[in-house]
Amino acid sequence: MSNNNDIGYFHQNIFSYFKGCEVPTAGWDVIYRNADGIQMPDGDIVHTIYVEMKNKHNTMNSASSAKTYIKMQGQILEDDDCACLLVEAIAKKSQNIKWSTKVDGKNVQHRLIRRVSMDQFYAILTGEEDAFYKMCMALPWVIDSVVNEEGGVEVPCDTVIDELRKVASLYGDENSEVSMAMAVYMLGFNTYMGFGDKMRDELGEDKDGMLKRIYAYVKRFPICDKGKK
């Protein structure tokens, strides 16, 4: 739970450094404004996006889904120049679709209330399809640099990381934490923009032995010039 909370904090607060984004203390997780307009998939152009952010696609039950949807409906009724997005860091796949859910037992959806994977949200904000991929590729080097700074962060014992390290060690001679992080990215985000293309280019379409080949691939990332790859 502690790991989940920290990851959620990162995914939300990094947007305070994106042009046009605000991370409010209450109400919405992120608000994005663009005076030039934001093109929506169904052809609408809006100037504000209100975001509710979740770590994973299965973290909301039916009651919380209905409550969130009603909140988004209310925002669109109040401001007809906006869209509302449920953004998921780990979605089932890369997507930007109308969010279909149930409210009072009825199926509801609206073209301006959308369910969006994190890679697609980064693309909306930056105009770059592989922006989330680029951030993920830089992140392990940044974490490694911060952790290893003199008098820096003390890394607690983490059983999740220990288990991941054991799995990663089955597929390579090196026990590289950075390589392990890359392997986790490739497995978790294989349909996301940037990740999927890279995997297909390097590994092909065949899924047989995918984990072993992913780990072999990410071990080739250079350790020098951290963050510049």
Side-chain angles (χ1 to χ4, degrees), residues 5-56:
N5 291 341
D6 289 343
I7 291 169
Y9 176 86
F10 170 82
H11 279 308
Q12 178 181 353
N13 284 275
I14 194 173
F15 292 112
S16 61
Y17 300 97
F18 281 58
K19 182 180 179 181
C21 281
E22 173 192 354
V23 179
T25 56
W28 298 94
D29 291 326
V30 180
I31 301 174
Y32 172 54
R33 297 181 176 90
N34 188 329
D36 295 328
I38 306 159
Q39 179 77 49
M40 304 304 292
D42 291 339
D44 298 275
I45 295 177
V46 299
H47 292 83
T48 306
I49 289 177
Y50 296 90
V51 175
E52 190 80 13
M53 195 163 292
K54 299 296 178 185
N55 272 349
K56 199 172 180 183

Side-chain angles (χ1 to χ4, degrees), residues 20 22 24 26-33 38 40 46-53 68 71-87 99 112-116 121 124-125:
E22 173 192 354
W28 298 94
D29 291 326
V30 180
I31 301 174
Y32 172 54
R33 297 181 176 90
I38 306 159
M40 304 304 292
V46 299
H47 292 83
T48 306
I49 289 177
Y50 296 90
V51 175
E52 190 80 13
M53 195 163 292
T68 300
K71 173 184 174 181
M72 291 179 172
Q73 279 184 321
Q75 185 63 52
I76 290 173
L77 288 172
E78 182 180 319
D79 176 9
D80 60 4
D81 187 21
C82 78
C84 294
L85 308 184
L86 175 67
V87 174
W99 183 20
L112 295 178
I113 300 178
R114 308 191 67 84
R115 191 169 186 170
V116 181
F121 184 51
I124 291 170
L125 300 186

Side-chain angles (χ1 to χ4, degrees), residues 3-5 7-9 11 29 52-61 64-65 86-93 95 99 115-118 187-189 192:
N3 286 342
N4 258 353
N5 291 341
I7 291 169
Y9 176 86
H11 279 308
D29 291 326
E52 190 80 13
M53 195 163 292
K54 299 296 178 185
N55 272 349
K56 199 172 180 183
H57 60 83
N58 59 357
T59 54
M60 290 199 301
N61 59 30
S64 60
S65 292
L86 175 67
V87 174
E88 298 162 330
I90 304 176
K92 288 184 177 180
K93 60 182 179 179
Q95 62 186 18
W99 183 20
R115 191 169 186 170
V116 181
S117 56
M118 188 66 82
L187 288 168
F189 299 133
Y192 279 25

Side-chain angles (χ1 to χ4, degrees), residues 6 143 146-158:
D6 289 343
I143 293 173
V146 171
V147 168
N148 287 290
E149 283 180 358
E150 185 176 352
V153 179
E154 180 180 351
V155 181
C157 177
D158 191 324

Side-chain angles (χ1 to χ4, degrees), residues 103-205:
V103 175
D104 295 332
K106 296 180 179 179
N107 293 322
V108 292
Q109 63 177 16
H110 190 286
R111 69 184 187 282
L112 295 178
I113 300 178
R114 308 191 67 84
R115 191 169 186 170
V116 181
S117 56
M118 188 66 82
D119 62 321
Q120 298 271 357
F121 184 51
Y122 268 65
I124 291 170
L125 300 186
T126 66
E128 297 181 29
E129 286 194 348
D130 62 347
F132 182 65
Y133 171 81
K134 290 176 179 177
M135 188 279 293
C136 287
M137 291 301 102
L139 192 57
W141 310 117
V142 174
I143 293 173
D144 185 61
S145 176
V146 171
V147 168
N148 287 290
E149 283 180 358
E150 185 176 352
V153 179
E154 180 180 351
V155 181
C157 177
D158 191 324
T159 57
V160 174
I161 294 297
D162 288 343
E163 291 303 312
L164 286 172
R165 191 177 292 117
K166 289 176 185 177
V167 173
S169 68
L170 297 175
Y171 299 98
D173 297 327
E174 300 175 23
N175 192 15
S176 166
E177 289 170 0
V178 171
S179 292
M180 183 180 68
M182 296 295 188
V184 171
Y185 283 157
M186 292 298 182
L187 288 168
F189 299 133
N190 61 82
T191 71
Y192 279 25
M193 295 183 295
F195 292 93
D197 293 340
K198 182 66 69 173
M199 285 179 65
R200 282 187 291 273
D201 291 345
E202 296 288 337
L203 305 176
E205 297 287 350

